[in-house]
Amino acid sequence: GTMEVDGSLDLDQTEAAVTEYFAPVLKEARHVTGSERAAMRRAENAEEYRGTITLLKSMGDNAPQNPPPVDFACECETLGCRATVSLDPSQYRSPVLAH
């Protein structure tokens, strides 16, 4: 569903309205397990790594000798974990764990 927000409510009122509007959908939502979360983050990180390496290779001789670090998501099983680990692309190995 879609909910139109026109700015007439303050932040708390908007949050309450959105929570109420989407409550039925969220009630029926399937919750992800910790191991599923870890698997999703592993897949995301692997794709981030592949994209970074592809970009660097496409730059040929213009690629930086020391590429900037890439932020990879923590692959732990803790639901709600938003930690990241900054790594030189050559240091990427799964699992990436921030803690």
Side-chain angles (χ1 to χ4, degrees):
T2 302
M3 178 181 180
E4 189 171 319
V5 178
D6 63 9
S8 63
L9 303 175
D10 69 21
L11 183 59
D12 290 336
Q13 292 168 325
T14 301
E15 181 181 357
V18 169
T19 299
E20 181 180 336
Y21 183 82
F22 287 106
V25 174
L26 294 174
K27 184 178 178 183
E28 298 299 320
R30 181 185 164 288
H31 295 281
V32 174
T33 66
S35 61
E36 289 171 325
R37 180 222 179 270
M40 286 188 286
R41 295 299 175 263
R42 273 193 302 278
E44 291 167 1
N45 285 341
E47 190 59 35
E48 183 73 27
Y49 172 74
R50 280 191 293 275
T52 300
I53 295 304
T54 300
L55 173 64
L56 292 171
K57 285 181 181 178
S58 74
M59 295 174 77
D61 293 339
N62 294 322
Q65 293 292 353
N66 297 306
V70 175
D71 287 338
F72 293 98
C74 180
E75 297 175 10
C76 72
E77 293 189 9
T78 304
L79 298 177
C81 177
R82 291 192 171 116
T84 59
V85 178
S86 292
L87 297 172
D88 177 288
S90 67
Q91 295 174 319
Y92 169 74
R93 302 288 182 278
S94 187
V96 174
L97 298 172
H99 40 88

